[in-house]
Amino acid sequence: MQTGFEFKPLVKQEITHSQLVRYAGASGDFNPIHTVVPFAEKAGLGGVIAHGMMIMGFIGQAIGEWVSVKDLAKFSVRFSKMTRPGEEIVVTGKVVGETENRWICEAKAQNKEGEVKVKASFEVKK
């Protein structure tokens, strides 16, 4: 790898309401803003929203496909926008720098319109 190297994008299928319900069960996050449409509407969200941790997991999945997980030294994220059912998420990443023994990388999860949902930084041992 070298600075500027771009990883192969990971394209996720369109997010569905049933996927959110399944994720709630798997994660234990039963906040009704993720699964109950009338509750989310009453909360002013205009409908249910995806779990931020699910979108973060998409980035984690991509990183696991890009590099050996045993070489992952650091991983952090910043959430920026809500994700809704019907959106297709694409995760992209690139090498932005290096130190003596690590590659410094960035990734982002965004919808097809380019709206960034989650940004990540991660470091990989050389």
Side-chain angles (χ1 to χ4, degrees):
M1 286 191 289
Q2 62 184 22
T3 300
F5 175 81
E6 294 186 11
F7 298 103
K8 180 182 176 188
L10 172 69
V11 179
K12 299 298 289 183
Q13 292 182 347
E14 183 177 294
I15 293 171
T16 65
H17 186 256
S18 61
Q19 179 182 17
L20 299 181
V21 172
R22 289 191 316 272
Y23 184 85
S27 68
D29 181 351
F30 294 102
N31 187 324
I33 65 170
H34 301 301
T35 57
V36 182
V37 174
F39 184 91
E41 288 173 342
K42 189 173 181 179
L45 297 173
V48 295
I49 60 172
H51 302 74
M53 296 299 284
M54 184 175 81
I55 308 307
M56 183 182 94
F58 294 167
I59 294 178
Q61 177 187 359
I63 292 170
E65 291 181 9
W66 297 335
V67 300
S68 172
V69 177
K70 69 178 179 58
D71 292 333
L72 185 64
K74 186 176 182 182
F75 176 51
S76 63
V77 301
R78 176 176 228 97
F79 301 95
S80 54
K81 299 279 184 179
M82 293 182 282
T83 305
R84 300 183 180 280
E87 291 187 274
E88 185 177 298
I89 299 299
V90 178
V91 181
T92 58
K94 63 183 174 182
V95 178
V96 296
E98 64 180 289
T99 66
E100 184 177 318
N101 51 5
R102 290 188 182 178
W103 295 106
I104 312 300
C105 307
E106 293 178 347
K108 62 184 173 183
Q110 60 188 27
N111 64 13
K112 288 287 191 171
E113 289 73 39
E115 183 179 58
V116 177
K117 307 299 184 165
V118 179
K119 290 183 180 180
S121 61
F122 62 102
E123 296 181 13
V124 180
K125 298 174 193 170
K126 288 184 177 178

